[in-house]
Every structure is written in C-alpha cells, then in structure tokens.
Amino acid sequence: MRVRKLTLAAMALAAGLSLTACQNDDGTDQSAAPPAASTASSSNGGSGSAGSDQEGGTDSADKTPDGTGGSGGTGGTGGTGGTDEDGKAAKCRTDELEFTAMDATIDGDTEGTVAVDLKNGGGRECTLTGYAGVDLKTNTGTLSARRTGEQATPVVLKDGENVTFGITYPINDTGGSGVRVTGLVVTPPNETKSVTLDWPGGASLPVSDSAGSPVKVGPMGSAGQGG
C-alpha cells in the first residue's frame, strides 16, 4: 500500500508539471503585456503634455525679459527731440541761438537802449522763458543788470524765428570819462553758457554812488519780436 501511494503521488506531480509546460508553449508572457486601456491612457497623457509645452513656448516668445508684452517697447517714442516730457517745445540752448546786439537809443531819450536779438538756428522749435542774464564788462569790473520786473511770457521760436529784449542804461552826459564799457555778456534764460558781444551803446556810463546797478534788462520780447 505504501508503494502504491508513493507512485500515485509521483504521477500527480508529473501531471501538474506537464500542465504548466503546456500553458507556456505559445511563448506569450501575459504578465508582461500592459492592459489595452492602460496603454491608451498613457498615450493621451503624453499628447496633453506636449501641448502644454508648446503653449508655454509661444507665450514666452511674446514677452520681453521683464515679463511684459513685447509691444511695451513703443514707450520709446517719448524721447522725441524738440519737446520736453510735457510735450512742450524744449528750451533753447545757447549753442542753438544766434546773438546780435544793436544800439536802439532814440534821440531825446533820457536813457540809452541796447536791443539784443536771439535767433533760433537749431533746426527745431524751442522755447525762451523769462529774463536773460546780462553783464557789462567795464574798466572797473563786471556790472550785472537788474530785471525790470515786467511779466515774462514764454516765447516759442520756430527754426529761423527770433525774439528781442532790451537793455537800458544811464547816458553819461556829465562831461567826465565815466565808467568805460568794454563788452556785453549774455546768458539765455535757464542756461549756464554765455556769449560775449561787442557793446553797441554809449562808450561809458556815468559814475554813480547809488547802491545797485543802474543797468536794467527786460524780459524776452520786451524790445519787439521779429520773424
């Protein structure tokens, strides 16, 4: 009986091994093949990822390094020459102006007058506002003119236009040599660069013990304006 039981057990084991071998004869490893549904899901996910990357690339190309839209560069038009930040004509520079000084004294006047003409030769529109600085060179030193106090109105000059202001001074009729004038220094409004001109007025000023300057300067346009 013992021998028979062992024989039956051996036969059962051999049958089990044979069945396992038959199941693997087709060469297909079912555990290695992913389910069809899982493969389709993976494919859709990959497509969506590629679409996100493409959209991100387009957005980046449309932006400047600071993250703003590329069209923001149009702000550069604010640098247009000839105007200030408020859109008004920029001030006239000394180097853009042509200066002319002439005697404008009329017979019978109690004071002498010199007219100074400033012509815009800068090739652009510009503005002169207020009073020019005026200094007379004399044999005793520099004499600065004082303002008349008249209201100063901004003057806009197109290229080629001019404006004139006046300088008044006391006439030396004392018979003495007085204070000899040797030159005229003019500084346009709101500028620091000056020009030196010949003095076209009376050769001398009377000596005065009074405080303050006897020479006066008017605002732009105070001696008429030409075109």
Side-chain angles (χ1 to χ4, degrees):
M1 291 293 293
R2 180 178 181 81
V3 173
R4 185 178 180 183
K5 288 181 179 180
L6 291 173
T7 301
L8 290 174
M11 292 176 64
L13 177 60
L17 292 174
S18 176
L19 178 61
T20 301
C22 291
Q23 289 176 344
N24 292 332
D25 283 344
D26 59 359
T28 302
D29 184 2
Q30 296 295 327
S31 63
S38 175
T39 302
S41 174
S42 176
S43 176
N44 290 339
S47 175
S49 175
S52 298
D53 291 342
Q54 184 177 2
E55 290 173 4
T58 301
D59 187 54
S60 175
D62 288 341
K63 291 186 177 181
T64 57
D66 63 355
T68 59
S71 59
T74 56
T77 56
T80 302
T83 59
D84 60 18
E85 59 184 7
D86 296 323
K88 300 178 181 178
K91 70 177 182 179
C92 299
R93 299 288 187 178
T94 302
D95 291 338
E96 298 175 321
L97 299 170
E98 301 172 13
F99 299 76
T100 305
M102 63 204 81
D103 184 11
T105 304
I106 299 176
D107 289 342
D109 285 351
T110 58
E111 289 184 313
T113 302
V114 167
V116 179
D117 185 84
L118 280 64
K119 182 178 180 179
N120 179 13
R124 67 181 180 108
E125 190 175 79
C126 64
T127 302
L128 289 169
T129 304
Y131 287 76
V134 171
D135 297 298
L136 268 61
K137 291 183 175 182
T138 74
N139 61 332
T140 60
T142 299
L143 184 64
S144 297
R146 57 188 175 89
R147 298 177 178 181
T148 61
E150 299 173 64
Q151 183 176 0
T153 303
V155 177
V156 179
L157 298 178
K158 294 181 180 180
D159 185 38
E161 290 186 339
N162 65 291
V163 63
T164 306
F165 68 89
I167 302 170
T168 57
Y169 61 95
I171 296 175
N172 182 19
D173 55 6
T174 63
S177 59
V179 178
R180 184 165 54 86
V181 181
T182 59
L184 170 64
V185 180
V186 177
T187 308
N190 304 308
E191 274 287 84
T192 57
K193 186 175 182 179
S194 305
V195 296
T196 300
L197 308 171
D198 291 334
W199 173 251
S204 63
L205 306 177
V207 176
S208 175
D209 295 329
S210 301
S213 173
V215 182
K216 295 178 289 184
V217 56
M220 290 293 146
S222 60
Q225 181 174 355

